Amino acid sequence: MYDLPYHKAKNEDGIKEFISRYPFAFLTGCDSENKPVATQVPVFIEEKDGRKILRGHIMKNTDHHKTFLRNENVLVVFTGHHTYVSGTWYSNPYTPSTWNFMSVHAKGVIRFLDDSALIDVLRMTTLHFENNNSQSTTIYDNLPSDYTQRLMKAIVAFEIEVKEIDTVFKLSQDRDLTSYHNIIRKLKEQDESGRAIAAEMEKREREVFPHG
């Protein structure tokens, strides 16, 4: 990742909130031949005995399942909104354009869990996306048992003990105040991603420019 101090997230609660807001992550690793594999799955962060744990589930007997059985070291990448930033928006317009984005990289060790843990993960995942509506027909406990038994034979739960977290929240922190304000104004005229990045920049303005 970019290793620039002004693009790093310093607030641990803010990092956890970002992971919770954008749980559909890239889960990546390398197989026995050092070939990269990746899959995208919803992953949820928890605290357990002072450790950060990511939990989710994947299909069994896929290339990534077999890879993670052989090599327990994984990288989980969480990404949010991102957007183009034109150099013409700076106070000095003779400047290269760039891209603003937010990303969290979690490195850790994966292990696969039993069926009881899989049921917990399935409940947690569905409740999250069903806004905690326990009456939803998609909740594990409300599905036909013959269906869930077939389903569970095809998937497996995992947990990842996070060993290291790195971040890049690249939000024009290295620009002057005039440019910063102009970038926000221009991004508000863009699509959803542009407006979302503008809102993140506004939230951080006092931190970036504490003296105004």
Side-chain angles (χ1 to χ4, degrees), residues 70-195:
R70 296 188 184 100
N71 185 346
E72 62 185 7
N73 298 292
V74 297
L75 169 66
V76 189
V77 180
F78 300 88
T79 60
H81 289 282
H82 53 88
T83 189
Y84 176 76
V85 175
S86 173
T88 63
W89 301 346
Y90 301 155
S91 54
N92 174 14
Y94 297 98
T95 306
S97 301
T98 191
W99 207 269
N100 277 6
F101 65 96
M102 303 173 72
S103 181
V104 172
H105 288 197
K107 296 178 182 178
V109 174
I110 192 170
R111 71 182 186 91
F112 292 100
L113 309 175
D114 61 19
D115 284 350
S116 175
L118 175 58
I119 293 172
D120 289 341
V121 168
L122 292 174
R123 285 186 180 126
M124 173 182 64
T125 303
T126 311
L127 281 170
H128 175 86
F129 291 108
E130 292 289 330
N131 299 313
N132 290 315
N133 175 18
S134 61
Q135 304 306 309
S136 171
T137 56
T138 64
I139 301 298
Y140 175 88
D141 303 278
N142 299 335
L143 292 170
S145 60
D146 59 337
Y147 173 79
T148 56
Q149 288 172 13
R150 291 197 309 271
L151 173 71
M152 290 180 62
K153 292 177 182 178
I155 57 179
V156 61
F158 64 81
E159 71 174 26
I160 298 166
E161 182 176 356
V162 178
K163 300 295 187 179
E164 180 183 343
I165 289 183
D166 202 357
T167 63
V168 172
F169 286 10
K170 185 174 177 293
L171 300 167
S172 301
Q173 298 97 322
D174 54 335
R175 297 297 164 186
D176 60 88
L177 183 59
T178 299
S179 298
Y180 196 87
H181 283 164
N182 202 42
I183 292 166
I184 291 173
R185 181 174 62 84
K186 291 290 188 180
L187 289 179
K188 286 182 174 181
E189 300 170 357
Q190 309 301 313
D191 60 10
E192 178 186 358
S193 289
R195 294 191 297 271

Side-chain angles (χ1 to χ4, degrees), residues 31-45:
D31 66 15
S32 58
E33 298 178 356
N34 286 323
K35 294 179 180 178
V37 298
T39 189
Q40 287 180 264
V41 290
V43 182
F44 300 92
I45 190 166

